Amino acid sequence: MSAPDPRDELVTHLPAMRAFALSLTRNGATADDMVQDTVVKAWTNIDKFQAGTNMRAWLFTILRNTYYSSRRKAKREVADIDGIFTERLSVKPEHDGKLQMSDFKVAFEQLPDEQREALVLVGASGFSYEEAAEMCGVAIGTIKSRANRGRARLAELLDNNDDTAMELTDAATMAVVTDSGPVAR
């Protein structure tokens, strides 16, 4: 005759486990959750139960350990009913949702060579208008005009306007798209 399955005995200890959990937690719903957690842990680890030993003691040990583990965990948690702490912990995405790099590259490639050159030199590379004009062999006014027309065309292609949120756009791209001055080299 084979030994009885310990899973069959597990059910007989449920009322005693609930009473013990209730004495620990003093809350019916929490006690029920703990008993459920205990049964799941016992069921999945039934192979660790030694036949012939005290099943009730084994279950109560699991329940007790579950209770104290949950207490330790609760000490590390912060109650945030209104979501105030969570809001402060949130992180903005790496992009601002409007000006993604792939969109920028496509729009930037549509600009005439002279406008791209002016924007790269003055915006992205951080050269002054005077330095960029000298490098290109043109007047300062020409570089300013090319950069201004390039920015206007980019804004048009990217559908940007004055109220477009760009606070997360990197400094080099901002220098190209807006007239925020040269980027520090």
Side-chain angles (χ1 to χ4, degrees):
M1 188 169 171
S2 66
D5 188 355
R7 291 182 187 102
D8 296 333
E9 184 185 348
L10 196 137
V11 176
T12 62
H13 298 291
L14 288 176
M17 287 180 4
R18 186 173 191 288
F20 181 53
L22 198 53
S23 72
L24 292 173
T25 64
R26 296 184 199 104
N27 180 302
T30 305
D32 289 341
D33 289 344
M34 284 189 55
V35 169
Q36 181 178 352
D37 289 346
T38 301
V39 169
V40 168
K41 288 176 183 178
W43 194 273
T44 57
N45 294 299
I46 200 72
D47 57 315
K48 295 178 183 168
F49 176 71
Q50 295 176 358
T53 60
N54 189 341
M55 170 70 82
R56 180 178 277 193
W58 186 66
L59 291 170
F60 275 44
T61 301
I62 294 172
L63 192 139
R64 180 183 173 280
N65 290 344
T66 301
Y67 171 72
Y68 284 114
S69 292
S70 69
R71 293 273 313 254
R72 282 190 299 273
K73 182 180 175 186
K75 286 181 183 178
R76 294 186 305 264
E77 293 178 350
V78 176
D80 189 18
I81 297 169
D82 297 330
I84 294 169
F85 293 113
T86 305
E87 282 182 21
R88 283 193 258 155
L89 294 175
S90 64
V91 176
K92 290 186 176 184
E94 293 296 320
H95 62 84
D96 58 15
K98 184 65 178 171
L99 188 60
Q100 294 182 8
M101 188 51 85
S102 59
D103 296 337
F104 176 78
K105 285 180 180 179
V106 169
F108 195 69
E109 289 172 6
Q110 294 179 33
L111 297 178
D113 293 341
E114 297 84 17
Q115 291 176 7
R116 276 200 322 267
E117 179 183 50
L119 288 174
V120 167
L121 292 173
V122 174
S125 298
F127 292 106
S128 68
Y129 287 113
E130 292 81 12
E131 293 169 322
E134 188 177 318
M135 284 184 236
C136 295
V138 297
I140 295 172
T142 304
I143 285 292
K144 287 183 178 181
S145 176
R146 289 176 182 174
N148 189 36
R149 283 184 278 130
R151 287 185 182 112
R153 181 68 179 135
L154 275 177
E156 180 184 315
L157 291 169
L158 294 169
D159 196 30
N160 288 349
N161 53 40
D162 291 339
D163 55 327
T164 300
M166 294 181 46
E167 68 271 4
L168 295 177
T169 305
D170 65 279
T173 306
M174 285 295 293
V176 171
V177 176
T178 65
D179 194 9
S180 60
V183 177
R185 287 185 272 163

